[in-house]
Amino acid sequence: MTAKIIIDTDPGQDDAVAILLALAAPDAIEVLGITAVAGNVPLNLTQKNARIICELAGRPDIPVFAGCDRPLAHPLVTAEHVHGKTGLDGIALPDPRMPLQDTHGVDFIIATLRAHSAGTITLCPLGPLTNIATAFRTAPDIVARVKEIVLMGGAYFEVGNITPAAEFNIYVDPEAADIVFKSGVPLTVMPLDVTHKVLTTRSRMTAIRAIGSPVAHAVAAWTDFFERFDMAKYGQEGAPLHDPCVIAYLLAPHLFTGRHINVEIETTSSLTRGMTVADWWGVTDRPKTAVFMGDVDAQGFYDLLTGCLARY
Ligand code: RIB
Ligand code: CA
């Protein structure tokens, strides 16, 4: 059964690999549209980068929308220190020729969920949750129509990457995350606990480079750029490939294991803002709100990714 998805994203090299993975499997995934959000870099760049990626994939037909340009309640925090000034540093790709859609990304999410049968659309957020939360607040009727949300964000055992307590996507817009995590929509979370296990090791990147296509060349060039920051920080071989875990889960859920637990978002403390408070050990009787992933078959993930990228 083909998954109908909306990708909400803040490209970001790892977002780019996730989008390429999704577009490489049209037999399993139908991308109804891509909504850009401010995150790794400002919205004017994330919406442009999303179109660059679609053209690299040979899919200028994919509608790309600009969504929210700032979080619900805090000034925007960006991550140029990881992703570079453009958000896609590592290789210079041509400016997009495909147009940006006139419709606001939030309006696209609302209209699409209303136009399709309830329970048929999966939302795949890869950045801050501002667009999703704004859509839910603007049109509460769509919440029950969402099949599921599979998102990259949060951390528990792996702790934070932008503060000691918080992962970037949740930290940037904790109020939005709180709305999404309390929405009642079936939620699957890919936290740093799994993304830090899918490292871009030399052998894995050698296999991707060996594909020899323009797409593979771009993925390798992006990885060469963005892994430098995490390798220096964590002292490991390679860097985590965060966002493709969301798409890999749709294609091969057996690669991931986790627990259905209560996960709530810290929104008031300045010290722990954006922390995903995951009741991994079931020490409370709080309602279970998310399948929070804890482990992944890393080589299986890379075998899947490499096989799909080789289709371009
Ligand atoms: O913390 C990792 C997340 O933040 C990834 O989605 C990356 O693209 C950045 O958005
Ligand atoms: Ca991202």
Side-chain angles (χ1 to χ4, degrees), residues 10-15 39-40 79 83 126-128 152-154 161 167-169 192 195 242-243:
D10 64 334
Q13 292 90 349
D14 61 317
D15 303 68
N40 285 320
H83 300 278
L126 310 178
M152 189 278 140
N161 61 359
E167 177 278 327
F168 179 81
N169 289 340
L192 299 181
T195 68
H242 304 287
D243 293 336

Side-chain angles (χ1 to χ4, degrees), residues 22-296:
L23 296 177
D27 49 317
I29 294 176
E30 180 183 359
V31 178
L32 299 175
I34 295 177
T35 51
V37 67
N40 285 320
V41 288
L43 179 67
N44 66 306
L45 289 174
T46 58
Q47 58 87 344
K48 175 184 173 187
N49 292 343
R51 291 183 286 145
I52 287 172
I53 297 155
C54 287
E55 290 189 339
L56 174 67
R59 293 298 305 277
D61 58 298
I62 299 286
V64 173
F65 304 82
C68 299
D69 64 359
R70 73 200 65 187
L72 297 183
H74 295 280
L76 177 62
V77 172
T78 52
E80 287 89 347
H81 59 289
V82 178
H83 300 278
K85 225 168 25 51
T86 71
L88 287 183
D89 282 28
I91 183 172
L93 292 172
D95 282 353
R97 286 164 302 162
M98 65 185 280
L100 178 71
Q101 299 297 310
D102 294 336
T103 305
H104 190 285
V106 169
D107 295 333
F108 170 74
I109 292 168
I110 294 169
T112 304
L113 282 163
R114 285 175 173 164
H116 287 76
S117 306
T120 59
I121 291 180
T122 297
L123 302 180
C124 298
L126 310 178
L129 291 163
T130 316
N131 286 343
I132 310 300
T134 304
F136 285 3
R137 273 203 317 197
T138 306
D141 62 288
I142 68 169
V143 175
R145 304 184 65 81
V146 180
K147 178 180 180 184
E148 67 172 329
I149 294 174
V150 185
L151 69 85
M152 189 278 140
Y156 189 60
F157 294 102
E158 196 62 28
V159 295
N161 61 359
I162 189 74
T163 74
E167 177 278 327
F168 179 81
N169 289 340
I170 310 299
Y171 176 77
V172 169
D173 199 339
E175 286 72 20
D178 192 42
I179 289 169
V180 172
F181 276 69
K182 285 179 179 166
S183 68
V185 172
L187 183 58
T188 298
V189 179
M190 294 290 161
L192 299 181
D193 303 61
V194 292
T195 68
H196 279 207
K197 293 176 181 172
V198 288
L199 299 179
T200 58
T201 61
R202 293 314 81 198
S203 62
R204 290 163 178 167
M205 293 316 299
T206 299
I208 290 175
R209 285 179 206 281
I211 297 169
S213 65
V215 164
H217 175 64
V219 170
W222 284 328
T223 302
D224 286 345
F225 181 85
F226 84 79
E227 71 180 8
R228 84 218 179 286
F229 178 81
D230 281 325
M231 286 169 71
K233 177 175 172 182
Y234 296 107
Q236 293 174 301
E237 182 198 351
L241 208 45
H242 304 287
D243 293 336
C245 288
V246 168
I247 306 302
Y249 172 77
L250 296 179
L251 295 172
H254 64 276
L255 293 176
F256 299 88
T257 54
R259 292 182 183 180
H260 190 207
I261 60 174
N262 176 267
V263 182
E264 300 194 11
I265 310 298
E266 176 56 65
T267 57
T268 55
S269 158
S270 58
L271 180 64
T272 56
R273 158 191 158 184
M275 180 176 182
T276 45
V277 182
D279 188 4
W280 184 263
W281 301 113
V283 296
T284 76
D285 57 2
R286 295 175 193 155
K288 295 177 168 45
T289 51
V291 174
F292 196 81
M293 292 302 179
D295 207 355
V296 56

